């Protein structure tokens, strides 16, 4: 059974999500929380496999809670479930360590599938969110690489996997992926090898 913690400041939303998830025999709702701060406490108490995290809540928002939860339980997978899909919100959530980003108009079937996928270690994104991220990656940019982006790409050049880069820099694997997406966009490439080659050619590494 996949143990899920539901985090949303609206009780009616939590109740609805509980009903949707518990209709599936492979999922059990371990508990609920009404804020990011409460989510950190409840995650510590309940040790869930997956957390459905609202993005904007009083008493501590979802983005600030994600790294705090993962610092204590790195194996936990956090899926942001929100009505907001601005580029800034998406990137902030992924950089914080979210394993997925879904909108609240997601169907029950897709939500259940996302929970199972996240539990397997996969990234889950609503189609519109995936389109925005790909668009950001493909957008031309002339900015130089940030210090963190350079650190990530340097380790990639040394043959480190995303997970190994994360452990070396004490950041989540999801954050590593976000940094690489930014690097790809800035360098105008679409994969790790091309990023390293281009950065070396430009003297960025």
């Amino acid at each position: 059974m996949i143990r899920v913690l539901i985090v949303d400041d609206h009780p009616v939303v939590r109740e609805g999500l509980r009903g949707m998830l518990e209709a599936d025999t492979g999922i059990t709702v371990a508990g609920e929380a009404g804020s990011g701060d409460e989510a950190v406490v409840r995650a510590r108490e309940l040790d869930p496999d997956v957390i459905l995290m609202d993005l904007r809540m009083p008493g501590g928002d979802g983005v600030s809670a994600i790294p705090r939860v993962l610092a204590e339980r790195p194996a936990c997978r956090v899926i942001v479930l929100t009505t907001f899909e601005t580029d800034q919100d998406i990137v902030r959530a992924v950089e914080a360590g979210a394993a997925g980003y879904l909108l609240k108009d997601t169907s029950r079937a897709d939500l259940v599938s996302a929970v199972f996928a996240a539990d397997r270690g996969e990234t889950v994104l609503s189609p519109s969110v995936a389109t925005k991220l790909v668009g950001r990656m493909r957008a031309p940019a002339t900015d130089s690489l940030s210090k963190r982006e350079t650190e990530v790409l340097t380790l990639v050049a040394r043959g480190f996997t995303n997970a190994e880069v994360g452990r070396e820099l004490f950041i989540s694997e999801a954050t590593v992926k976000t940094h690489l997406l930014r690097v790809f966009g800035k360098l105008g490439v679409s994969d790790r090898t091309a990023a390293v080659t281009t950065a070396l050619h430009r003297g960025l590494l």
Side-chain angles (χ1 to χ4, degrees), residues 8-28:
D8 196 289
D9 59 319
H10 294 101
V12 67
V13 173
R14 298 199 302 269
E15 182 178 349
L17 290 172
R18 177 184 284 273
M20 291 169 67
L21 294 174
E22 291 193 331
D24 192 285
T25 57
I27 298 174
T28 182

Side-chain angles (χ1 to χ4, degrees), residues 10-197:
H10 294 101
V12 67
V13 173
R14 298 199 302 269
E15 182 178 349
L17 290 172
R18 177 184 284 273
M20 291 169 67
L21 294 174
E22 291 193 331
D24 192 285
T25 57
I27 298 174
T28 182
V29 175
E32 302 176 8
S35 70
D37 290 345
E38 187 182 358
V40 175
V41 175
R42 297 293 282 161
R44 186 181 302 131
E45 295 171 347
L46 301 171
D47 193 21
D49 302 303
V50 176
I51 298 177
L52 293 180
M53 182 82 75
D54 192 13
L55 196 62
R56 301 182 186 179
M57 298 173 286
D61 67 11
V63 170
S64 64
I66 293 171
R68 294 161 62 195
V69 168
L70 297 180
E72 296 184 11
R73 279 163 178 73
C76 182
R77 308 290 289 178
V78 180
I79 301 174
V80 168
L81 185 61
T82 181
T83 57
F84 302 98
E85 57 173 329
T86 67
D87 288 6
Q88 182 179 6
D89 286 326
I90 296 167
V91 171
R92 285 179 62 227
V94 175
E95 287 182 339
Y101 197 108
L102 301 178
L103 301 180
K104 286 184 176 178
D105 61 1
T106 299
S107 69
R108 176 193 172 276
D110 287 342
L111 178 62
V112 169
S113 294
V115 169
F116 279 100
D119 187 60
R120 292 193 299 268
E122 301 173 15
T123 300
V124 290
L125 300 171
S126 289
S128 60
V129 172
T131 298
K132 286 178 178 290
L133 283 177
V134 171
R136 286 180 66 90
M137 185 183 78
R138 290 178 176 171
T142 57
D143 300 344
S144 60
L145 300 183
S146 69
K147 178 182 177 182
R148 180 60 90 188
E149 289 164 356
T150 301
E151 291 172 340
V152 168
L153 194 57
T154 296
L155 293 175
V156 169
R158 291 170 55 186
F160 282 48
T161 66
N162 287 355
E164 290 169 340
V165 172
R167 287 194 293 270
E168 183 73 14
L169 299 178
F170 302 102
I171 57 178
S172 72
E173 186 174 352
T175 301
V176 173
K177 293 177 183 177
T178 301
H179 286 308
L180 285 175
L181 283 175
R182 290 179 180 275
V183 170
F184 293 169
K186 289 180 177 181
L187 299 182
V189 300
S190 59
D191 61 65
R192 295 156 60 96
T193 301
V196 171
T197 301

